[in-house]
Amino acid sequence: MKVGFIGLGLMGKPMSINIIKKSGMPVMVFDLDKEKTNQVAAEGAEAAASIKEIAEKCDVIISMVPKSEHVISVYNELLPEAKTGKIFIDMSTIDPQVSRDLAEKIKEKGAEMIDAPVVKSVPAAETGTLGIYVGGAEETYKKVENILKCMGSNIIYLGENGAGLVMKLCHNTLVSEIQNGVNEMITLAQKNGISVEEFMTAVSYGGAQNFYLDTKGKVIAEGNFKTAFSVENMNKDVNLTAGLVKQLGLNLPGVEVARNVYSQAMESGYGKEDFSATFKVVNK
């Protein structure tokens, strides 16, 4: 079995390298940036000249690209080569309906597809300890579980196509809401003469302690918003969630509050900074 990996960005590069080092399978890689392709090839992969070559020569094809439109573009090149025996794994975070539509097209060609978006950021991608949410036929998931285990230490099967993506959007939007609460209460504390450091210590004495205060409080105190996960990416995810909420006719005010904060952060030019830079929006 030969594995193909498309998209060698901040997450895709270490994810693909873990497959190379752990799977014992031949791996072929491709990125539009030829330098990235060559960097991963230096780790033991075969460099592909195109997405079409990956589709032709690989049995399991993984994609990890930024947005729905990028996944659609990739699959426009993959679909002509889809056939019985090939398995497609999209690990991007995109609109669940886009993924379901692509899965149906793959199925019509006799091939199989699952969505398997990831949680946690670059350090976990490097150590192979990502969380992975899987949607699709369970028997398809079982066929590639060993490959997914090269990249993640916590993998959960959630149901049919799109289920993994719905869970990913729920996760990331919950993160955005928690961070927004952290931002608001640090702002309120500071306006009353309590430092970020004092706030963090005091919160640790009670029940409100949380991962995003523990990890982003120091970032906020220092004003150093080096990117682990960008405002731009979180803005995309929160807006996808807002679309899903609207589609289902739900009223979830916290989602709308988060969406508005991220919209302002984008307008303020914070898109490439860490998502905790939304503190600057709230603090204004």
Side-chain angles (χ1 to χ4, degrees):
M1 185 178 285
K2 190 171 192 175
V3 179
F5 202 107
I6 300 164
L8 307 172
L10 285 174
M11 296 291 284
K13 179 181 177 180
M15 288 164 67
S16 62
I17 290 171
N18 272 310
I19 297 173
I20 294 164
K21 292 181 176 179
K22 299 177 185 179
S23 71
M25 300 176 185
V27 179
M28 177 177 274
V29 297
F30 176 80
D31 192 278
L32 289 173
D33 184 338
K34 192 173 180 181
E35 179 58 30
K36 291 179 180 177
T37 303
N38 290 338
Q39 287 173 0
V40 179
E43 299 287 338
E46 181 182 352
S50 65
I51 292 171
K52 186 175 185 292
E53 186 179 8
I54 294 262
E56 290 172 342
K57 295 182 178 179
C58 297
D59 306 295
V60 176
I61 296 128
I62 300 169
S63 48
M64 183 65 172
V65 296
K67 298 178 181 179
S68 295
E69 54 263 39
H70 302 126
V71 174
I72 291 169
S73 177
V74 166
Y75 272 77
N76 283 341
E77 296 188 57
L78 293 174
L79 273 164
E81 305 301 326
K83 60 184 178 182
T84 302
K86 287 187 183 287
I87 297 175
F88 296 82
I89 308 171
D90 183 46
M91 304 189 78
S92 317
T93 301
I94 64 170
D95 185 332
Q97 191 55 51
V98 169
S99 185
R100 292 186 192 107
D101 292 344
L102 290 172
E104 190 59 36
K105 291 178 181 178
I106 289 290
K107 186 178 179 180
E108 289 170 1
K109 303 279 284 187
E112 302 166 74
M113 178 181 173
I114 61 172
D115 47 286
V118 304
V119 289
K120 300 183 186 175
S121 55
V122 175
E126 292 173 342
T127 56
T129 55
L130 292 167
I132 303 177
Y133 300 154
V134 179
E138 189 167 11
E139 58 267 28
T140 304
Y141 158 57
K142 291 297 184 183
K143 291 176 186 177
V144 295
E145 186 178 14
N146 60 326
I147 297 172
L148 296 177
K149 284 181 175 178
C150 295
M151 298 175 280
S153 56
N154 293 295
I155 305 172
I156 182 169
Y157 173 74
L158 292 155
E160 294 303 311
N161 290 99
L165 284 161
V166 170
M167 186 61 237
K168 171 63 183 286
L169 295 179
C170 290
H171 174 278
N172 277 20
T173 303
L174 179 57
V175 169
S176 76
E177 293 185 22
I178 295 169
Q179 186 64 50
N180 200 52
V182 167
N183 295 343
E184 288 185 353
M185 291 307 102
I186 287 179
T187 295
L188 181 60
Q190 284 183 321
K191 299 298 183 186
N192 285 275
I194 299 170
S195 71
V196 176
E197 292 81 1
E198 289 170 327
F199 177 84
M200 291 175 69
T201 299
V203 167
S204 75
Y205 297 167
Q209 185 175 14
N210 65 84
F211 177 83
Y212 294 98
L213 174 58
D214 292 346
T215 58
K216 302 301 182 182
K218 185 178 180 183
V219 168
I220 290 169
E222 295 175 350
N224 177 20
F225 299 101
K226 182 180 178 183
T227 305
F229 187 75
S230 71
V231 165
E232 183 177 36
N233 279 326
M234 188 68 89
N235 178 65
K236 176 201 69 173
D237 295 350
V238 170
N239 274 281
L240 285 171
T241 301
L244 189 59
V245 168
K246 183 178 180 181
Q247 178 188 328
L248 294 171
L250 300 175
N251 177 27
L252 303 179
V255 173
E256 193 59 25
V257 170
R259 191 190 68 79
N260 287 333
V261 168
Y262 280 88
S263 177
Q264 291 177 57
M266 292 296 292
E267 290 171 6
S268 299
Y270 305 149
K272 301 298 183 185
E273 296 183 58
D274 187 74
F275 72 94
S276 56
T278 48
F279 173 77
K280 294 186 283 187
V281 172
V282 174
N283 194 249
K284 284 180 181 178

